[in-house]
Amino acid sequence: MIWTMQASASSEFELELAAGYAWDDNVGLDELERATGESDEVTSLEAQGSALFTFQDRVSLRLSAGLTDDSYQKFSQVDRRTESVGVNLEAKLGKATVGINWFDVSADLDNDPFLTYERLSPYASGFVSKKWFLRGEYVYGEKTIARRPGREAESHSASLDSYYFIQGLKRYAVLGYTFRADDARANRYDYNSHALKIRYVHRETVGRLPVEFEVEGKFEDRQYKAPDPMIRTEREDTRWRFSTELRLIVSNYASIGLHLKNSDYDSNLPTASYSDLVVGTEIRLSF
């Protein structure tokens, strides 16, 4: 929904509703690096709303809020309800865009408090050529996990994403790098990591219906700073993630998506080595 005032300011309001179903072959909690080794079915309901205020086409302010509810058929103890709020302030300076984003998320497991995470991230972006776009970002984050005080952590990360537009927004690729340092209350959870990602987006029209295809791969190398008491040496983790989605745009307001996500974690800490495959579908409404 969009309302525009014929003046130096305008406002836009958007609402997205989604319902999904997926099969998860290894239910677990990445935040605790634990997996059950069992599969289950999960249904998801999601609502996301935002309000964008633009001033003289140079400065914009976006307010956003979201609610997601994931319910498992058998493992109700990992049923998750996630609430989020965000504020983004952005300004155009010549050919560049600079901004700052604040984001806060809290999650409950089976109706009990589980996770809180707050982040603040200044960023800058701009085109360096007709087809090449760069975006750099610094992120400061604070995380707490209920009944796991040792995992309370502050994090600092710096990212650079390079976008190459092969055919405008119809076809483009993204290559990104992130360095992250986590400082936890318990030294065993302190680590530095290097991560690479590559993503490709392709939009076409099949018959009379638009179709969107997206594929993404991520690799992360984590080096922990202190010995873990279980293995009496520093942890070394490598994490691979792969995802792909095919989305059919049914109308201006509705779309249907099919997605596959695979994670493969390898660590010299045995309990942190596992893989996870999720296959699902989703109906999304946008207003």
Side-chain angles (χ1 to χ4, degrees):
M1 297 181 183
I2 301 177
W3 289 270
T4 303
M5 296 174 285
Q6 301 301 321
S8 59
S10 63
S11 59
E12 300 179 10
F13 301 89
E14 297 180 354
L15 175 65
E16 287 196 349
L17 304 174
Y21 165 84
W23 175 77
D24 186 344
D25 85 327
N26 191 3
V27 178
L29 292 172
D30 279 356
E31 296 89 350
L32 300 181
E33 299 163 328
R34 292 292 186 272
T36 63
E38 301 289 338
S39 64
D40 200 0
E41 301 169 30
V42 55
T43 56
S44 301
L45 297 175
E46 179 183 341
Q48 301 282 342
S50 67
L52 175 65
F53 304 94
T54 305
F55 308 94
Q56 297 182 344
D57 293 327
R58 305 293 298 178
V59 178
S60 65
L61 175 67
R62 182 182 292 274
L63 309 176
S64 60
L67 176 65
T68 304
D69 190 276
D70 296 325
S71 298
Y72 286 82
Q73 186 175 28
K74 295 184 296 185
F75 290 93
S76 61
Q77 62 269 35
V78 292
D79 287 353
R80 184 186 295 240
R81 180 184 176 91
T82 306
E83 299 176 358
S84 62
V85 293
V87 179
N88 191 84
L89 180 63
E90 189 175 273
K92 294 181 180 179
L93 299 178
K95 294 183 179 181
T97 298
V98 297
I100 187 167
N101 178 269
W102 172 81
F103 180 76
D104 182 88
V105 61
S106 60
D108 293 346
L109 285 184
D110 199 19
N111 298 317
D112 290 327
F114 171 61
L115 169 74
T116 61
Y117 177 68
E118 184 177 6
R119 55 172 273 176
L120 185 69
S121 54
Y123 62 88
S125 62
F127 280 92
V128 295
S129 69
K130 186 176 180 180
K131 292 189 174 184
W132 189 19
F133 180 85
L134 292 179
R135 186 182 189 277
E137 179 181 40
Y138 162 77
V139 177
Y140 170 76
E142 294 182 352
K143 175 184 67 176
T144 61
I145 298 179
R147 297 185 295 278
R148 297 290 193 279
R151 290 183 179 269
E152 179 180 327
E154 295 182 353
S155 62
H156 303 267
S157 64
S159 301
L160 181 63
D161 292 329
S162 175
Y163 294 73
Y164 185 73
F165 295 96
I166 304 166
Q167 190 180 359
L169 291 176
K170 290 189 65 176
R171 287 194 298 146
Y172 65 90
V174 184
L175 178 64
Y177 167 78
T178 300
F179 172 79
R180 173 168 171 159
D182 261 36
D183 182 14
R185 178 180 292 187
N187 292 338
R188 61 183 289 196
Y189 298 118
D190 293 348
Y191 69 84
N192 291 338
S193 76
H194 301 271
L196 291 173
K197 73 174 180 182
I198 185 168
R199 178 160 59 103
Y200 175 71
V201 178
H202 191 111
R203 295 183 171 98
E204 283 290 348
T205 299
V206 178
R208 296 184 178 181
L209 295 177
V211 174
E212 298 179 358
F213 173 74
E214 179 177 329
V215 60
E216 182 176 75
K218 295 181 180 180
F219 169 77
E220 181 185 8
D221 176 70
R222 290 188 180 185
Q223 298 292 328
Y224 286 78
K225 300 179 182 179
D228 189 285
M230 291 185 63
I231 56 176
R232 299 181 181 180
T233 188
E234 292 82 2
R235 278 179 58 183
E236 298 180 1
D237 291 11
T238 56
R239 299 186 167 200
W240 292 90
R241 299 180 181 92
F242 172 82
S243 64
T244 184
E245 181 181 75
L246 180 65
R247 182 166 296 275
L248 178 66
I249 312 301
V250 180
S251 71
N252 292 334
Y253 304 102
S255 65
I256 300 173
L258 300 173
H259 62 262
L260 179 149
K261 300 178 182 179
N262 184 69
S263 302
D264 191 358
Y265 300 160
D266 183 60
S267 174
N268 58 348
L269 177 65
T271 57
S273 290
Y274 59 94
S275 61
D276 185 30
L277 174 66
V278 177
V279 181
T281 185
E282 175 193 77
I283 298 175
R284 183 169 294 271
L285 302 177
S286 304
F287 305 95

